Amino acid sequence: MDSYHITGGEKLAGDHRLKGAKNGVLPILAATVLTGEPCEICSCPSLSDVHTMVEILRSLGCSVTWDEDNIRVDAKTVDQWEIPERLMKGMRSSVFLMGPLLARCGQVAMTQPGGCAIGDRPIDIHLSGLRMLGAEIEEDPHRIVCRARRLTGATIRMEFPSVGATENLMMAAAAACGETHIIHPAREPEIEDLQNFLNACGAQVAGAGTGEIVICGVGDRRAAGPGSGTAPLSGCVHRVIPDRIEAGTYLAAAAITGGEIRLLDSAPSQMAQTLARLKEAGCRVKVDKTSIWLTAPRRLRSVREIKTLPYPGFPTDMQSQFLSLLTLAEGESKITETIFENRFKHVDGLLRMGADVAVDGRTAHITGVAGLHGARVQAEDLRGGAALVLAGLAAEGETVVENICHIDRGYDKLEVVLNDLGAKIERI
């Protein structure tokens, strides 16, 4: 497998223009199954997860073309309702297709989704919500089959604000008959982006980003319920919102190397918690509507406590990168992970590089050290792999990060961007 070879000690400096959010483009691509006219999705990053989603859409009968950063999907000829197992195993986000396929074809079959092993991520909330919309579901440890002659609106109270479940239910309800209320949904910006896409395609969705999402299903007026094969929505052109996790990662990369960076086409309003913690660590941060400037201090300061929480709290997808950052901060810091129980796998690599980190259950206690040294480490998941790259950028000597297929799932040509900013990193 490919690996990154990093010669540390270079300060990052320069500009970087962000692309669309990984966590935004994947559900939107899944939602194109609901349409019978071409959709053009703009600002799509070239990630392995996006390539997998494109391959899944083609396996279902969609025509898909990819021109630079734009993906054009024509789902008029969808004729399959079972997702190939090899594609399901490669990406957890393949589960997003459950709601759209059920609405379009009246049935969907898939194996349990794969993805990063960062903790227990059952899809019970997805399935219980679909049942409330009228789906009949057969489930065993390996395979799930959902069927529905007709989807009917319902009031769904979510026991946990699952992002994926919220999006899946929004897509299914958009094609149902009647009105659906999702109570206590996830509030991530990517959910608002999905709402905007669905509405541009003719759906009636309101309330994304609040405590209740209301969907007036088009099933009644289109007379095209599940199993008819008729697409309930039309096409549109849509630009995906900027990737706030990519943005946070590059800001942390500049901070850990003592550099400075300007991010273009960003969305600072969606990154309040990340920017606040960078300021607490001593970074100078300036923003306008679509840009972020960061200048690192001579030495980072410790952050008393970071606790991951659903949006608008501190994002779990930024926890690993901040842990690397704080290994070089003066003083003691604490990070508590409340979302996933196995998100400290990268700590072993940091310890090999000279970090002082003690993990107690879901809490990591970090004592800042004067410097890190290069080592051979392995990426165990997407964000943990990125965190090890950040540590390598600041470490003395050479760091080799192996198993970077995980990193490719969430960063478009990471080594190219970092080299453009002044790093010395090579993909081998």
Side-chain angles (χ1 to χ4, degrees):
M1 292 185 178
D2 289 1
S3 59
Y4 281 140
H5 292 239
I6 307 164
T7 302
E10 303 295 327
K11 292 184 179 182
L12 268 59
D15 295 349
H16 174 60
R17 190 174 299 276
L18 297 167
K19 291 188 179 180
K22 166 188 180 286
N23 294 331
V25 68
L26 293 173
I28 287 173
L29 286 174
T32 61
V33 169
L34 294 168
T35 68
E37 300 171 1
C39 293
E40 186 170 357
I41 315 302
C42 305
S43 191
C44 295
S46 181
L47 312 175
S48 60
D49 273 10
V50 178
H51 285 275
T52 299
M53 182 63 81
V54 165
E55 193 174 352
I56 291 174
L57 290 174
R58 287 173 175 155
S59 77
L60 299 174
C62 300
S63 171
V64 186
T65 57
W66 196 334
D67 181 19
E68 295 184 352
D69 296 339
N70 302 328
I71 298 177
R72 188 176 187 272
V73 182
D74 189 343
K76 180 173 58 179
T77 56
V78 168
D79 57 7
Q80 298 293 323
W81 51 273
E82 183 160 4
I83 302 175
E85 180 177 3
R86 65 179 181 85
L87 298 176
M88 282 295 302
K89 292 298 184 183
M91 180 183 67
R92 179 171 178 79
S93 296
S94 51
V95 76
F96 287 136
L97 284 153
M98 186 179 295
L101 276 175
L102 183 64
R104 176 73 180 269
C105 302
Q107 55 189 342
V108 57
M110 57 179 62
T111 55
Q112 293 284 353
C116 288
I118 57 176
D120 190 25
R121 294 190 285 175
I123 60 171
D124 295 358
I125 302 176
H126 299 246
L127 300 181
S128 64
L130 291 174
R131 284 191 177 99
M132 294 184 71
L133 293 174
E136 296 180 356
I137 300 174
E138 301 172 13
E139 183 183 11
D140 63 39
H142 304 290
R143 195 164 185 265
I144 303 167
V145 180
C146 305
R147 294 184 177 90
R149 292 183 179 179
R150 173 187 174 94
L151 292 176
T152 305
T155 296
I156 303 170
R157 296 181 182 276
M158 302 193 71
E159 59 189 62
F160 178 80
S162 163
V163 176
T166 299
E167 292 169 332
N168 231 334
L169 297 176
M170 285 172 62
M171 291 184 277
C177 296
E179 193 169 275
T180 296
H181 295 252
I182 304 176
I183 311 297
H184 303 312
R187 304 188 183 195
E188 273 69 5
E190 292 79 14
I191 292 171
E192 293 188 60
D193 201 27
L194 176 61
Q195 172 182 275
N196 293 338
F197 170 77
L198 291 171
N199 287 341
C201 293
Q204 296 182 28
V205 186
T210 73
E212 180 177 358
I213 299 175
V214 181
I215 306 108
C216 296
V218 301
D220 290 321
R221 75 170 191 260
R222 296 276 176 131
S228 67
T230 304
L233 300 179
S234 55
C236 75
V237 177
H238 180 81
R239 186 177 184 84
V240 181
I241 61 172
D243 195 318
R244 59 197 171 95
I245 307 303
E246 178 195 9
T249 301
Y250 289 124
L251 291 171
I256 199 172
T257 61
E260 55 184 324
I261 191 172
R262 179 175 66 161
L263 297 180
L264 306 172
D265 290 347
S266 61
S269 62
Q270 300 172 0
M271 298 178 60
Q273 289 289 332
T274 297
L275 298 180
R277 295 302 183 274
L278 287 167
K279 291 177 182 177
E280 189 177 346
C283 297
R284 189 165 75 249
V285 179
K286 176 185 172 185
V287 304
D288 62 20
K289 188 174 181 180
T290 61
S291 301
I292 304 172
W293 292 262
L294 178 141
T295 302
R298 288 190 175 183
R299 185 172 184 189
L300 295 163
R301 298 195 301 260
S302 61
V303 174
R304 188 171 63 87
E305 183 174 12
I306 293 175
K307 180 182 290 186
T308 64
L309 292 168
Y311 190 87
F314 187 87
T316 181
D317 280 352
M318 279 303 304
Q319 178 261 104
S320 301
Q321 300 91 307
F322 261 78
L323 202 157
S324 286
L325 182 77
L326 294 173
T327 62
L328 292 173
E330 186 174 9
E332 297 182 356
S333 304
K334 182 170 76 170
I335 296 179
T336 300
E337 172 60 57
T338 71
I339 310 296
F340 298 115
E341 68 270 22
N342 291 333
R343 208 145 203 186
F344 289 132
K345 289 186 175 182
H346 60 298
V347 168
D348 287 343
L350 294 174
L351 294 176
R352 296 187 65 183
M353 300 174 71
D356 185 351
V357 183
V359 176
D360 179 14
R362 291 197 175 196
T363 299
H365 300 271
I366 308 110
T367 301
V369 296
L372 300 173
H373 54 77
R376 182 175 291 269
V377 295
Q378 182 163 312
E380 300 282 355
D381 59 75
L382 166 55
R383 305 305 175 184
L388 292 173
V389 170
L390 265 58
L393 295 173
E396 182 180 354
E398 184 180 74
T399 297
V400 178
V401 181
E402 299 178 331
N403 206 26
I404 62 173
C405 58
H406 291 295
I407 300 173
D408 291 337
R409 292 183 47 241
Y411 296 93
D412 188 348
K413 302 178 183 65
L414 177 65
E415 71 280 9
V416 174
V417 175
L418 292 175
N419 280 327
D420 286 346
L421 293 170
K424 291 183 178 179
I425 175 172
E426 185 178 8
R427 187 185 190 106
I428 302 295

